Amino acid sequence: IDNRIKQDDETLANSSDALSSIILQARKKNETQSTKELRDFVMNFLIAGRDTTAMLLTWCFYYLAIHPEVESKVIQEIEQVIGDDEVNFENI
């Protein structure tokens, strides 16, 4: 966070992360944010993302478990798309 705060506006504007955007917008409004405030923002963002992803997966597997006909279709599609290949980002 400290390194990001030290970056100039052009570098921040060319970055695609949320932290850079927050710092840049605060500078444009002549607002100051402490390292603690920025750290808290980043931590909340990470925790919220983890929790929502975990909930999504929990409900997804729950509904697949109570609907075996849908689960079978999902498994069939995975086998058609991936086959014997290793699962990776390209074939997901």
Side-chain angles (χ1 to χ4, degrees), residues 11-83:
T11 302
L12 291 173
N14 290 324
S15 298
S16 61
D17 60 279
L19 180 59
S20 295
S21 296
I22 297 284
I23 294 168
L24 187 60
Q25 291 303 314
R27 284 183 188 170
K28 287 180 180 179
K29 296 177 182 178
N30 290 325
E31 296 174 354
T32 57
Q33 293 180 316
S34 70
T35 301
K36 182 186 179 313
E37 289 173 316
L38 292 170
R39 185 208 61 209
D40 290 348
F41 167 79
V42 170
M43 292 303 297
N44 285 332
F45 191 79
L46 292 173
I47 291 168
R50 184 204 65 206
D51 289 348
T52 54
T53 301
M55 272 303 197
L56 169 73
L57 290 171
T58 299
W59 282 106
C60 181
F61 288 120
Y62 169 75
Y63 278 106
L64 287 174
I66 63 172
H67 296 285
E69 69 283 358
V70 177
E71 179 186 16
S72 296
K73 290 178 182 180
V74 170
I75 291 170
Q76 186 177 32
E77 183 173 342
I78 291 169
E79 289 172 348
Q80 287 175 348
V81 172
I82 297 174

